[in-house]
């Protein structure tokens, strides 16, 4: 079983189901291999995201360790407290969690989006990415033109406590001057 949730702040991209095939064609090594190796999952999912974005003329995402830290912390909280939601048990959403981190600039503006996924068993990065691409909210986050930064939290347990599962938190962000 696999479950996915997505939210953006604000969500502005349009849905395009034709692009699901683009990521499935992407030559990302390891995309079809189920693994629990966190570094491998991060590398392959970043590759799949960037292949999809490239097919739409969008800029590449770059892995951001600050967003990865926020994402990992939320994933660990969900597995520890056995819930699966954009809001933490303390009623904080991804914007609250990022605002409390060092990702937020001291001056200027920023925004972010979040995709969640969990499985109760083995799943390949391509299967995970395909699930996101078949969901309009997740696809909007992946295809949003403004994102530059990407954080990926990977926890080798499902929110239900299944040690054969995964909990994934993807964060998309952009920082810069206010318009």
């Amino acid at each position: 079983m696999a479950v996915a949730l997505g939210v953006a702040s604000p969500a502005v991209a349009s849905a395009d189901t034709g692009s699901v095939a683009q990521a499935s064609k992407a030559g990302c090594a390891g995309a079809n291999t189920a693994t629990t190796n966190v570094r491998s999952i991060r590398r392959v999912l970043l590759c799949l995201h960037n292949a999809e974005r490239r097919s739409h003329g969008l800029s590449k995402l770059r892995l951001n360790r600050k967003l990865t830290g926020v994402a990992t912390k939320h994933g660990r909280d969900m597995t520890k407290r056995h819930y699966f939601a954009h809001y933490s048990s303390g009623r904080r959403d991804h914007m609250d969690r990022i605002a409390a981190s060092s990702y937020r600039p001291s001056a200027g503006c920023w925004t972010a989006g979040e995709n969640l996924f969990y499985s109760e068993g083995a799943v390949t990065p391509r299967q995970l990415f395909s699930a996101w691409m078949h969901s309009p909210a997740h696809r909007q986050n992946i295809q949003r033109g403004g994102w530059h930064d990407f954080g990926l939290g990977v926890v080798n347990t499902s929110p239900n406590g299944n040690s054969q599962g995964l909990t994934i938190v993807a964060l998309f962000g952009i920082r810069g001057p206010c318009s």
Side-chain angles (χ1 to χ4, degrees), residues 9-32:
S9 300
V12 296
S14 63
D16 175 9
T17 57
S19 65
V20 174
Q22 294 302 322
S24 68
K25 293 181 204 171
C28 299
N32 297 319

Side-chain angles (χ1 to χ4, degrees), residues 40-95:
S40 177
I41 293 169
R42 279 195 186 120
R43 178 186 50 76
V44 174
L45 282 176
L46 180 62
C47 176
L48 290 168
H49 278 81
N50 283 332
E52 175 63 26
R53 293 175 62 79
R54 186 173 41 256
S55 75
H56 290 277
L58 301 172
S59 64
K60 285 177 61 173
L61 296 171
R62 59 182 178 239
L63 196 60
N64 180 284
R65 66 178 176 76
K66 293 174 183 177
L67 284 181
T68 293
V70 173
T72 301
K73 189 174 178 182
H74 183 54
R76 286 181 182 151
D77 187 59
M78 287 191 290
T79 60
K80 178 182 175 186
R81 299 177 192 275
H82 304 292
Y83 71 94
F84 182 70
H86 291 289
Y87 283 91
S88 68
S89 56
R91 302 303 305 153
R92 295 177 56 177
D93 70 3
H94 67 289
M95 297 296 283

